[in-house]
Amino acid sequence: MKGRVFSGARPTGKQHIGNYLGAIQSYVKLQQDYDCIYCIVDIHALTTLEDTHLLKENTREMMLDWLAAGLDPEKSILFIQSHVPEVMELHTLLSMVTPLGWLLRVATFKEKVKLQPHNVNYGLVGYPVLMTADIVLYKADTIPVGEDQLPHLEMARDIVRRFTYLFGEVFPEPKAKLTTFPMVIGLDGERKMSKSCDNDVELAASPEETTQRIRTAFTDPARQYRNDPGHPEVCNIYSLHHFYNPDRLDEIATQCRGAAIGCVDCKNILAEGVNRDLAPFRERRAEIAQRPGYVDEVFADGARRAHVIAKETIKEVKEKMGLP
Ligand code: TYM
């Protein structure tokens, strides 16, 4: 029997190359060998969003990127978290078996408290419980994620073990499967590439925008002047060449070390690589965006199929927990 994959991503709108290399690319490949379920987690987004007016549009833009990148609604279930409300029911039930101390110790919770001290909401504490509910509602065993999600996956395993100990076996223990590039660094050369850090390169941007954007990137800080020798091993632009110019790595490293090319040249080579790689994606995206009602149909069909599984699991959980 095929294993079952589940993964989720917050509706951050148009996706960037970090999302693609760090997640979407792996989601697409896994469709060959697993039953796959991919979810846009709009409820999770509410833990950090105070202004939700872009949520709908961002969800649609994100699905366009997923579809253009090769997620196939014929092969996978693609849906929006809130369209299958059983996840909220399961979240509440799992919250009863999750010690508060576990949740208060999660590193991402502590980070969020620092980032949004004015909005330390209850949902933020329960974030990993909702994530566990996502996974186990569909009895998924294989969870492709980037490195930043590993603590949440550990928590999911702990919650499942505790549930099994208290009420018996319903859920498989989910295992994280690190994606091919589990940590893509942003254009600031320091932090994870993300929209909120404004250090990203959007997949759907035009070639000109992409080139402009890459020109703003930080490079090797030791290269102050054009003739200074560079150190590719510490330069994030060089690490991005691994993905976009894999055949030219030695040549680019030698030219950088010998100052035969400057950082602007190096960024232009990267931009060319990114634009070349993304050209078919961008064409597909524009084509899918033109099909009237298509994205809504994908969401509706995904929710319908996800719901069939969710209903069965909730029934089983309630029975095991002895709910009358
Ligand atoms: P999110 O929305 O932050 O990111 C979605 C996925 O993309 C990966 N990722 C990256 N990987 C490498 N480099 C980057 N710069 C980069 N940026 C993002 C993330 O690791 C993640 O795999 N809590 C989750 C969403 C979630 C979920 C789930 C995931 C909710 N329920 C159940 C798995 C299973 C999140 O906020 O991901």
Side-chain angles (χ1 to χ4, degrees):
M1 212 176 87
K2 277 184 175 178
R4 176 164 290 161
V5 158
F6 180 97
S7 203
R10 283 166 302 132
T12 45
K14 289 188 175 152
Q15 300 289 280
H16 51 70
I17 60 176
N19 296 129
Y20 181 73
L21 299 170
I24 305 168
Q25 193 181 45
S26 300
Y27 300 169
V28 173
K29 282 196 196 128
L30 289 166
Q31 294 183 120
Q32 285 168 13
D33 301 318
Y34 292 82
D35 277 335
C36 294
I37 305 180
Y38 298 117
C39 177
I40 299 185
V41 294
D42 53 344
I43 307 172
H44 275 106
L46 297 178
T47 60
T48 51
L49 278 186
E50 284 164 80
D51 179 358
T52 58
H53 78 281
L54 286 176
L55 203 51
K56 259 197 184 143
E57 188 185 324
N58 283 348
T59 304
R60 183 188 145 78
E61 292 292 350
M62 188 160 161
M63 183 50 75
L64 278 175
D65 282 334
W66 280 11
L67 294 167
L71 285 186
D72 180 352
E74 300 283 318
K75 292 187 186 147
S76 300
I77 297 180
L78 309 175
F79 76 109
I80 299 177
Q81 188 183 32
S82 66
H83 288 186
V84 184
E86 279 81 356
V87 77
M88 294 178 255
E89 207 174 345
L90 187 55
H91 168 251
T92 304
L93 297 175
L94 293 179
S95 75
M96 309 303 169
V97 305
T98 310
L100 184 59
W102 289 5
L103 297 172
L104 296 176
R105 279 196 294 274
V106 175
T108 45
F109 171 67
K110 293 185 190 163
E111 274 162 35
K112 285 280 162 21
V113 172
K114 280 194 200 137
L115 279 173
Q116 52 183 64
H118 57 287
N119 183 19
V120 182
N121 57 70
Y122 175 58
L124 213 48
V125 188
Y127 190 106
V129 185
L130 183 56
M131 220 171 123
T132 308
D134 278 331
I135 296 167
V136 301
L137 185 57
Y138 303 101
K139 299 196 178 181
D141 45 52
T142 305
I143 319 299
V145 282
E147 218 171 88
D148 59 328
Q149 297 300 317
L150 291 180
H152 292 152
L153 258 295
E154 271 315 302
M155 177 66 63
R157 289 166 65 81
D158 287 342
I159 296 173
V160 166
R161 283 193 204 116
R162 194 162 157 78
F163 183 95
T164 308
Y165 171 73
L166 293 170
F167 300 111
E169 199 171 318
V170 178
F171 313 120
E173 267 183 34
K175 276 193 216 68
K177 186 176 178 64
L178 272 189
T179 54
T180 333
F181 301 113
M183 179 57 85
V184 180
I185 301 296
L187 297 180
D188 55 6
E190 279 176 10
R191 293 169 296 176
K192 179 181 93 156
M193 183 174 285
S194 75
K195 188 161 272 191
S196 56
C197 295
D198 192 25
N199 63 2
D200 60 324
V201 179
E202 271 181 9
L203 299 170
S206 69
E208 297 73 29
E209 285 164 344
T210 303
T211 306
Q212 285 305 324
R213 186 76 175 150
I214 289 176
R215 288 216 183 118
T216 66
F218 280 71
T219 52
D220 171 9
R223 275 199 100 176
Q224 303 275 351
Y225 299 103
R226 169 71 177 73
N227 291 335
D228 291 338
H231 307 85
E233 60 287 353
V234 299
C235 178
N236 189 41
I237 290 294
Y238 186 71
S239 61
L240 289 171
H241 282 305
H242 282 84
F243 313 139
Y244 292 106
N245 288 304
D247 304 337
R248 295 182 62 185
L249 285 175
D250 289 345
E251 167 203 336
I252 294 168
T254 308
Q255 289 181 327
C256 169
R257 285 200 183 92
I261 54 169
C263 293
V264 175
D265 306 317
C266 187
K267 289 177 191 176
N268 285 340
I269 299 172
L270 178 65
E272 277 164 29
V274 172
N275 285 330
R276 191 174 49 242
D277 189 76
L278 289 178
F281 163 89
R282 289 169 177 164
E283 216 171 285
R284 264 196 313 274
R285 192 186 200 279
E287 189 267 311
I288 297 169
Q290 301 236 314
R291 295 187 206 164
Y294 179 66
V295 173
D296 290 333
E297 275 167 33
V298 170
F299 283 140
D301 183 57
R304 193 186 47 71
R305 287 156 67 201
H307 197 228
V308 173
I309 308 172
K311 257 189 349 205
E312 284 302 309
T313 311
I314 278 290
K315 193 163 153 242
E316 209 180 326
V317 169
K318 284 181 170 170
E319 267 168 29
K320 285 269 189 211
M321 291 182 91
L323 291 175

